Amino acid sequence: MKNANPTSRVDNLSSEPVSPPDFQNLGGNADSDPNPLKRWASSMFMRRMSNINLRDKQRRNAEKARKKKGRPHEIHYFHEMDDGYSLLAVQVLEQFHSKYDIKLVCHIARRESSDNVPEPNLLSKLSLSDGKLIAPHFNLLFPDTETTPEPELVKQSQKIAIDMAKTHRFSDLAGLTTAVISNNHEQIKILDQQSPDTNPEEIERQLSKSNRLRQELGHYSGAMFYYGGEWYWGIDRLYHLETRLIELGATSDGSDKLLCPRPDIVMGPARASGDLKLRFFPSLRSPYTSIIYDKTVELARETGVQLEITPVLPMVMRGVPATTNKGRYIMSDTAREAKSLNINWGRKVYDPIGDPVRNCYALYPWAKRLGKGEKLLREFLQSAFFEAINTNSESGLKKVVERAGLDWTQAKSRLYLDEWQPTIEKNRLEMYALGCWGVPSYELSDSQGNSLIATWGQDRLWIISRIIQDYLETASST
């Protein structure tokens, strides 16, 4: 294919007016317009939760306490029968249990319905499409289905699953979960007949006990591993837990080979010539966006893919609830992910929620017209998440603007314009139409506008990079 420089389209102005809704400020942990004291307190919380040095100290203390009590390396795993990510995780449980010198306790839990899971129906659908997408890359199986599991099948399976979990029959649990995800009535009926009779009240008690324990330990999702004060999500974060266990010498086979290593982001060698477009949905208050922004731009540049940046409002600024547990996990998880990407991130955060985000977006249409839109967003994220600059102050915002190569005097006159609002709302609606609601989200499409992949998460850029290479290699051979 003919080589070409990537085109970065960051002038995604709305061609059709979209009236922005009046999102409610939920207050509390989801306060989208905090006063200065609350913004400072939020920033201190974010810094503490993203402090890798503090995390390492907590790990050392946890290991010291474990040894003192003579306890094994006890790991709790929480499995949800209707969760695609749980189906992926359960397929590696047997190997995981065998490879590491651990005590593995498997809990069957129900999907939580709370502010921690604001879009449960979308999450159910995403776990199916996403699970099907990544399973082959981890040599795992996933049924070809788009239909979410029927509630009655889920309920029927929970009784069987509790017995399997108790007896460490992880391969059987994987088969049962596959049957649930596939809505395979016949298979579940057979497994039910083979399962011991259990009082319905006892099943309910066990499920409630699992959910309560998960909540007490500080989480809310399925496919979660808990060890020594930290949470690890499914096969995507298992490599963090594996690395920790290897460092502690808790392997049964003496090998440091990981079961689920993090896939690399592939930057080549094939290059596009303008026939692929990557839409990137970032948010200016997203820790995950802050660590993957530069990598996304680099991927487009190195592979010749046309990049279209379509920013959206942060979740809490569009009425999505937030909780302390969720915030704690996101910050600590981002710090781990950043370290694995060799990015020096954490401890230097100043919460940009509210007016700082609005001000940057108010400048964005002007910056785009000058070819500085991509740079403006980057400098904002760099200031807020890498340098602890208060972007709510005039001096802080001025620094962002000037680093982006823009004139501060001209910028000030544009802070009160609202031309950005219809565009940002249009972007949100288009992101939801792709089945995504969080950030960063992505859509890769061909020259005809056909969507090749739409997915959510900084931890999905690796698969986008591989689909780019697969597409270009196929195109070059035809």
Side-chain angles (χ1 to χ4, degrees):
M1 280 201 153
K2 182 179 177 182
N3 285 342
N5 291 325
T7 303
S8 176
R9 277 183 51 195
V10 292
D11 56 348
N12 187 40
L13 291 174
S14 176
S15 58
E16 298 180 9
V18 177
S19 299
D22 185 17
F23 293 115
Q24 180 184 1
N25 183 352
L26 300 178
N29 293 314
D31 193 344
S32 56
D33 281 298
N35 60 42
L37 180 59
K38 197 167 185 179
R39 185 183 301 278
W40 175 85
S42 174
S43 302
M44 294 304 104
F45 171 81
M46 294 169 82
R47 291 179 198 178
R48 182 175 177 81
M49 293 302 104
S50 62
N51 189 328
I52 287 290
N53 292 335
L54 178 60
R55 182 210 69 179
D56 290 344
K57 181 180 178 181
Q58 291 169 340
R59 284 185 176 184
R60 289 192 297 269
N61 290 339
E63 178 62 4
K64 185 178 178 180
R66 184 195 69 81
K67 287 182 175 179
K68 185 176 181 180
K69 295 178 181 178
R71 296 179 61 85
H73 296 282
E74 185 173 78
I75 296 172
H76 294 272
Y77 167 69
F78 293 85
H79 188 83
E80 294 179 357
M81 297 306 299
D82 54 347
D83 173 44
Y85 299 113
S86 290
L87 174 55
L88 296 176
V90 73
Q91 292 180 61
V92 303
L93 280 191
E94 199 160 291
Q95 285 179 282
F96 180 65
H97 190 219
S98 175
K99 176 176 172 59
Y100 296 100
D101 182 18
I102 58 174
K103 177 184 177 182
L104 181 58
V105 185
C106 181
H107 306 273
I108 306 302
R110 281 185 297 247
R111 174 158 294 172
E112 186 173 308
S113 177
S114 70
D115 287 349
N116 288 311
V117 188
E119 300 282 4
N121 293 332
L122 288 177
L123 178 59
S124 294
K125 292 178 181 178
L126 180 68
S127 77
L128 299 183
S129 60
D130 200 33
K132 186 164 51 176
L133 181 68
I134 69 172
H137 296 270
F138 290 93
N139 294 316
L140 301 175
L141 302 175
F142 205 93
D144 185 12
T145 181
E146 297 178 359
T147 306
T148 55
E150 298 171 14
E152 280 305 310
L153 275 187
V154 175
K155 186 175 180 180
Q156 186 180 1
S157 72
Q158 287 167 339
K159 178 199 102 173
I160 314 167
I162 288 173
D163 180 64
M164 290 177 173
K166 190 183 303 181
T167 54
H168 282 190
R169 290 155 53 205
F170 299 132
S171 293
D172 290 342
L173 182 58
L176 173 63
T177 310
T178 300
V180 174
I181 296 293
S182 306
N183 283 306
N184 189 332
H185 292 253
E186 192 59 36
Q187 182 62 28
I188 293 174
K189 182 179 178 181
I190 293 171
L191 292 171
D192 190 20
Q193 291 171 348
Q194 298 171 351
S195 177
D197 290 333
T198 308
N199 189 301
E201 285 77 16
E202 176 60 19
I203 298 300
E204 181 65 26
R205 190 188 72 81
Q206 290 288 341
L207 292 170
S208 297
K209 181 180 177 182
S210 295
N211 279 58
R212 187 165 56 250
L213 176 62
R214 182 173 59 182
Q215 185 178 41
E216 289 171 356
L217 293 175
H219 219 278
Y220 42 85
S221 293
M224 296 301 302
F225 295 85
Y226 177 84
Y227 173 67
E230 286 183 49
W231 286 97
Y232 306 86
W233 174 57
I235 61 170
D236 284 277
R237 300 297 188 273
L238 193 61
Y239 76 99
H240 288 302
L241 176 53
E242 289 192 83
T243 301
R244 183 177 177 186
L245 292 171
I246 290 170
E247 289 174 351
L248 292 172
T251 60
S252 299
D253 59 5
S255 169
D256 60 359
K257 184 178 181 181
L258 302 178
L259 295 174
C260 296
R262 179 185 175 121
D264 294 328
I265 299 170
V266 181
M267 296 289 180
R271 284 179 56 85
S273 56
D275 51 348
L276 286 178
K277 179 174 76 174
L278 179 61
R279 297 187 72 195
F280 174 38
F281 296 84
S283 151
L284 293 183
R285 202 243 185 166
S286 163
Y288 290 128
T289 294
S290 73
I291 67 169
I292 209 65
Y293 189 92
D294 285 354
K295 288 284 185 184
T296 302
V297 174
E298 181 186 3
L299 176 64
R301 182 179 66 245
E302 294 299 316
T303 58
V305 171
Q306 180 186 159
L307 180 64
E308 181 179 301
I309 300 179
T310 46
V312 297
L313 281 176
M315 277 189 167
V316 297
M317 291 181 68
R318 41 189 163 99
V320 179
T323 67
T324 299
N325 279 345
K326 195 167 189 177
R328 180 182 294 113
Y329 176 75
I330 288 173
M331 292 304 296
S332 61
D333 183 54
T334 304
R336 289 186 308 208
E337 290 287 275
K339 187 176 181 180
S340 73
L341 292 168
N342 296 315
I343 297 172
N344 185 15
W345 186 94
R347 295 189 297 167
K348 293 184 177 181
V349 182
Y350 211 108
D351 193 350
I353 194 67
D355 284 340
V357 171
R358 295 188 191 95
N359 288 335
C360 189
Y361 282 168
L363 299 176
Y364 189 50
W366 166 64
K368 286 186 294 186
R369 288 191 287 268
L370 296 177
K372 303 286 187 180
E374 177 188 298
K375 183 71 170 172
L376 177 68
L377 298 188
R378 183 197 183 274
E379 293 303 329
F380 186 94
L381 290 167
Q382 184 73 24
S383 297
F385 286 99
F386 289 84
E387 301 178 42
I389 293 174
N390 183 1
T391 52
N392 196 43
S393 67
E394 181 172 314
S395 62
L397 187 59
K398 180 182 178 183
K399 189 170 291 186
V400 170
V401 168
E402 292 181 343
R403 284 181 176 181
L406 297 163
D407 182 80
W408 174 241
T409 301
Q410 294 183 43
K412 284 196 294 185
S413 66
R414 289 168 169 81
L415 288 175
Y416 304 100
L417 300 178
D418 60 4
E419 62 174 317
W420 62 274
Q421 293 184 15
T423 301
I424 299 299
E425 173 58 10
K426 178 174 179 285
N427 293 345
R428 182 186 73 88
L429 295 175
E430 291 178 354
M431 182 177 71
Y432 266 73
L434 294 172
C436 303
W437 66 101
V439 294
S441 286
Y442 298 93
E443 183 194 27
L444 181 69
S445 57
D446 63 17
S447 58
Q448 304 301 313
N450 300 311
S451 184
L452 304 177
I453 176 180
T455 189
W456 167 20
Q458 59 83 24
D459 48 11
R460 291 295 175 263
L461 192 60
W462 65 264
I463 198 166
I464 291 169
S465 74
R466 289 160 193 243
I467 291 175
I468 289 172
Q469 291 301 304
D470 289 346
Y471 177 89
L472 295 176
E473 288 171 11
T474 301
S476 66
S477 63
T478 57

